Amino acid sequence: MQTIRVNASQSYDVVIGHNLLDSCGERITQVSKAAKAAIVSDDTVYGLYGERVEKSLKAAGFEVVSFTFPHGEASKSIAVLSEIFDFLAENHITRSDVIVALGGGVTGDMAGFASASYLRGIDFVQIPTTLLAQVDSSVGGKTAVDIKAGKNLVGAFKQPKLVICDIDALSTLPEEFFIDGMGEVVKYGMIKSAGLFDKLSRHNLGNIGEILEDVIAECVSIKRDVVENDEFDTGERMLLNFGHTLAHSIEQYYNYTGISHGKAVSVGMMMMTRLAEDNGLCRKGLTDELTACLDRYKLNISVEPKPYELGEAALNDKKRMGGSINIIICEDAGKSFIKKMPVPEFLEMLKG
Ligand SMILES: NC(=O)c1ccc[n+]([C@@H]2O[C@H](COP(=O)([O-])OP(=O)(O)OC[C@H]3O[C@@H](n4cnc5c(N)ncnc54)[C@H](O)[C@@H]3O)[C@@H](O)[C@H]2O)c1
């Protein structure tokens, strides 16, 4: 088991290891004096792990109530959030109680936002059960729901009191979601760790399980460092967006249904690195190495739109600032920087 301390506006531990669900109650007593714990989970994850988590919480002395919602991004909405608020109120959850988010990024983001706003803020603990949530969304305090105008447009910064990553929970995760999370894992290697990138380039989907605890811990450490330097996303945290500007345009092109986020990010990273290479902004050969690495995790896919067709949608992205856009470039594996580019120059670059 590994413990990573995050010193943001609130300090907390991220524990990563095997068979942690059965001891989650005990661990939560160490960070909360709550009498009641309100579990928020989607129907799939609750069906798989709800009973074990409830049992552990009860054994540790908590009174437990559970709210479940239909799995999937469509539930990350104001409507479901409103149901969560009603549920918390009906069950007399007070400001000294605790919300336990059990599930993937959808659950963590929405339960996190509920905990940021219910009674002006109550404590919450993350128990992420997807690879993406373990390496990314459960750490760093970004919480949100989607609205018609776009994803994650209503939310708050709210750090959890504790994050419990049980690697064994990933055993039931469908492969497509595991692959999706690997897109973000490769991104961490590219932006901050040549060592991680090298490790990933020597493993594949079949044997990454052998080093998964270390890989997750390394990703969390990278995210921790970035968040500690820039909790509120005004500078270095933008590095985490590597590949994401074009990815959002690609997802939009496919109406958010034809391609998964992790695959879109992978294509975004490959396109951006190719453009950087063509413009002398990164080491020659890096795009081929990135492509080969992504290939090992079934993430080397091609998409219909060409980079220049993605420019306009990218400019609608929240990364646009006035007449310029911040793009993330990796000059080598593990070495990234933010490049502020005038919009015309960015569009020109996309033409190749
Ligand atoms: N807050 C952040 O910093 C941040 C960062 C990245 C992504 N996100 C958000 O994360 C969300 C995507 O997260 P996600 O990919 O985890 O999606 P998700 O929560 O919808 O989970 C994906 C699917 O896997 C199922 N599932 C989860 N754990 C399982 C398990 N252990 N076994 C079997 N099935 C399981 C879920 O029921 C769901 O159907 C998006 O809404 C995105 O905006 C947030």
Side-chain angles (χ1 to χ4, degrees), residues 128-165:
T129 63
T130 62
L131 180 59
L132 179 131
Q134 296 193 351
V135 298
D136 190 358
S137 62
S138 66
V139 180
K142 279 191 182 178
T143 73
V145 292
D146 306 333
I147 57 173
K148 257 189 231 147
K151 279 183 67 176
N152 297 323
L153 291 185
V154 177
F157 286 97
K158 168 84 177 172
Q159 301 293 341
K161 293 291 278 187
L162 174 69
V163 182
I164 301 169
C165 298

Side-chain angles (χ1 to χ4, degrees), residues 42 44-45 48-49 71-73 76 104-107 109 129-130 132-133 136-137 142-143 151-152 169-170 172-174 177 223 237:
D42 73 31
T44 304
V45 176
L48 288 163
Y49 301 112
H71 63 275
E73 185 73 31
K76 206 174 115 179
V106 164
T107 302
D109 277 14
T129 63
T130 62
L132 179 131
D136 190 358
S137 62
K142 279 191 182 178
T143 73
K151 279 183 67 176
N152 297 323
L170 301 180
T172 52
L173 187 67
F177 292 113
K223 182 138 189 198
R237 194 164 177 166

